[in-house]
């Protein structure tokens, strides 16, 4: 089964083509970084305009890379929930047009489901339900118990900044540009992670929530007040603080939920320190960590296609009337915790 | 020749199917184009008994108009063309406002809301038969005051044609107003007669005629 996946959730226009849920035939991503750079952040109207400009080119490039035609497609999946509303509508309009013109099923995907399924795509044979999933990205940091296809329990989430957002803001303050995660990781390799004792917010709290705003502010305060500092040391110390919090909370969740399988997903999942520290510490506790392919960590169409494959089989196709929602419930979310409205069950 | 016509630039999403420039069926729904326009296309084709694969072209109103509506409509039109390998006929919402009918005024001023008390405006002259002649090459974004000054200068010879409710009711120097709530398929067909067809590959590059920058870009310029 060949599925085209489209993601226009935020500022990347992406189309991916996946065969049988895990074989990535193409994954084309067009970044809008240059269009937003002058504004110091993502401008929703500009993002929507750039998606409209790029969407046809990206779909054509993905088809060419995968060496398929529209008649080869068995379904089209699209992120229609969770993201910038003005951006989501562009991808959804393209996906609906393809579904309509090709007469194939349409599958609407929650953007976070795409990230979760990026791990399942790589470990479909061994990653059995239930498992714990730490999803860390620019807009989200949350711990989920994944019960089955499309069934999740929210265990904890960030109360303020997402981890990826903190990486971006610290990188910007250090003059490293955007996206910040890769730049900080590169710089941190030449730094001393013990140089600065940045706080590990909420690390000792028994709950599974996160907070990265205070850590980000601590870095800013240091940069504002210190007469001299090594950027490399700041980057390394900050990155270590983030990794310590994420790893500690994830292992606490695994213990409290009695889960030995841990998935790491989202844009920050590409971070080498987080991947290695979580894998090592989890192994000490008898847990196995499952990682997505680095190419599937950022927002991309292939993960949407992968999620579409599984959810089409377990949930069925969606009608052409599906809408878009900036904040949407994540599958059949089972409420186990006080959580923000944006993840609330329908 | 079968043509699909789509307008999502205004408050209504209008979809129609035409055969040899004659409307076979149409549908107009208020609001929510992201959810409805594709099911409108499907329903309209089904009602007229015309298959998508029979289409020869897609006519799309590229703007000016609703930023989000245009992104949805233009993406739908060019993606359909990309899959079906048919031409796209891009037309202006302002052209379609005055096209396809005769007028008793010598000058026509077509406007639609650009938000924040401003309007998109284009002037058209009519011929002896009362048909709008000039294109929308002079289309601009104006304040209500600037529009009023232009209408005063026209000295009663111009008819104001509003797409939806704009600022017409507040103007002193306006000799006549016509309010259009949605573009008619006949008007879109008439406007499309002057459109430059884009092949499916060329249509991939099609973008809406936004006519103004985003708020952030405008703020940055100030």
């Amino acid at each position: 089964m060949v599925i085209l996946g489209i993601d226009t959730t935020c500022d990347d226009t992406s189309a991916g083509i996946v065969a049988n849920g895990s074989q990535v035939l193409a994954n084309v991503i067009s970044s809008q970084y240059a269009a937003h750079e002058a504004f110091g952040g993502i401008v929703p109207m500009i993002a929507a305009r750039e998606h409209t400009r790029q969407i046809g080119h990206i779909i054509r490039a993905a088809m060419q890379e995968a060496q398929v035609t529209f008649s080869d497609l068995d379904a089209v999946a699209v992120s229609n929930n969770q993201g910038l509303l003005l951006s989501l509508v562009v991808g959804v309009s393209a996906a609906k047009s393809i579904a309509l013109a090709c007469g194939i099923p349409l599958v609407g995907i929650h953007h976070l489901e795409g990230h979760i399924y990026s791990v399942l795509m790589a470990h479909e044979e061994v990653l059995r339900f239930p498992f714990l999933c730490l999803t860390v990205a620019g807009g989200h940091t949350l711990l989920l118990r994944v019960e089955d296809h499309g069934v999740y329990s929210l265990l904890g989430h960030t109360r303020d900044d997402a981890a990826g957002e903190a990486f971006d803001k610290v990188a910007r303050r250090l003059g490293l540009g955007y996206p910040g995660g890769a730049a900080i990781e590169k710089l941190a390799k030449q730094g001393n992670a013990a140089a600065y004792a940045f706080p590990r917010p909420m690390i000792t709290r028994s709950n599974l929530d996160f907070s990265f705003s205070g850590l980000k502010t601590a870095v800013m305060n240091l940069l504002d007040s210190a007469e001299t500092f090594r950027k490399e040391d700041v980057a390394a110390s900050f990155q270590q603080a983030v990794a310590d919090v994420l790893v500690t909370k994830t292992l606490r969740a695994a213990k409290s939920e009695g889960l030995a399988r841990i998935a790491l997903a989202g844009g920050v999942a590409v971070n080498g320190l987080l991947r290695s520290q979580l894998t090592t510490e989890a192994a000490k506790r008898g847990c196995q960590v499952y990682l997505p392919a680095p190419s599937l960590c950022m927002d991309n169409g292939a993960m949407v296609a992968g999620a579409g494959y599984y959810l089409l089989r377990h949930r069925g196709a969606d009608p052409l009337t599906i809408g878009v929602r900036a904040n949407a419930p994540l599958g059949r979310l089972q409420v186990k915790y006080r959580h923000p409205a944006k993840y609330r069950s329908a | 020749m079968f043509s699909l016509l789509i307008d999502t630039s205004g408050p209504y999403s209008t979809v129609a199917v035409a055969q040899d420039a004659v409307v076979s069926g149409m549908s107009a729904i208020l609001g929510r184009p992201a959810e409805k326009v594709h099911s409108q296309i499907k329903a309209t084709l089904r009602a007229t008994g015309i298959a998508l694969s029979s289409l020869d072209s897609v006519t799309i109103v590229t703007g000016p108009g609703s930023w989000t509506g245009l992104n949805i409509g233009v993406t739908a039109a060019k993606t359909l063309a990309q899959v079906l390998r048919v031409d796209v006929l891009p037309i202006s919402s302002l052209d379609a406002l005055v096209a396809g009918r005769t007028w008793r005024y010598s000058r026509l001023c077509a406007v639609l809301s650009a938000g924040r008390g401003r309007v998109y405006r284009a002037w058209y002259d009519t011929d002896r038969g009362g048909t709008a002649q000039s294109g929308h090459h002079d289309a601009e974004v104006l304040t209500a005051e600037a529009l009023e000054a232009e209408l005063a200068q026209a000295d009663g010879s111009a008819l104001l044609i509003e797409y939806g409710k704009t600022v017409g009711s507040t103007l002193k120097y306006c000799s006549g107003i016509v309010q259009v709530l949605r573009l008619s398929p006949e008007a879109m067909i008439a406007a499309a007669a002057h459109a430059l067809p884009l092949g499916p590959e060329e249509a991939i590059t099609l973008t809406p005629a936004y006519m103004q920058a985003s708020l952030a870009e405008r703020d940055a310029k100030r």
Side-chain angles (χ1 to χ4, degrees), chain B residues 102-108 124-134:
Chain B
T102 55
W103 306 93
R104 285 185 292 132
Y105 283 73
S106 58
R107 298 204 75 200
L108 306 171
Y124 300 83
D125 296 318
T126 56
D127 61 15
R128 286 186 180 179
T131 305
Q133 291 298 300
S134 305

Side-chain angles (χ1 to χ4, degrees), chain A residues 21 32 37 60 63 94 121 129 161 178 197 202 204 222 224 265 267:
Chain A
Q32 299 180 0
E37 188 181 12
R60 180 174 60 185
M63 309 280 283
M121 286 168 71
F129 296 108
D161 288 358
Y178 174 90
M202 299 181 75
T204 56
L222 171 83
D224 287 341

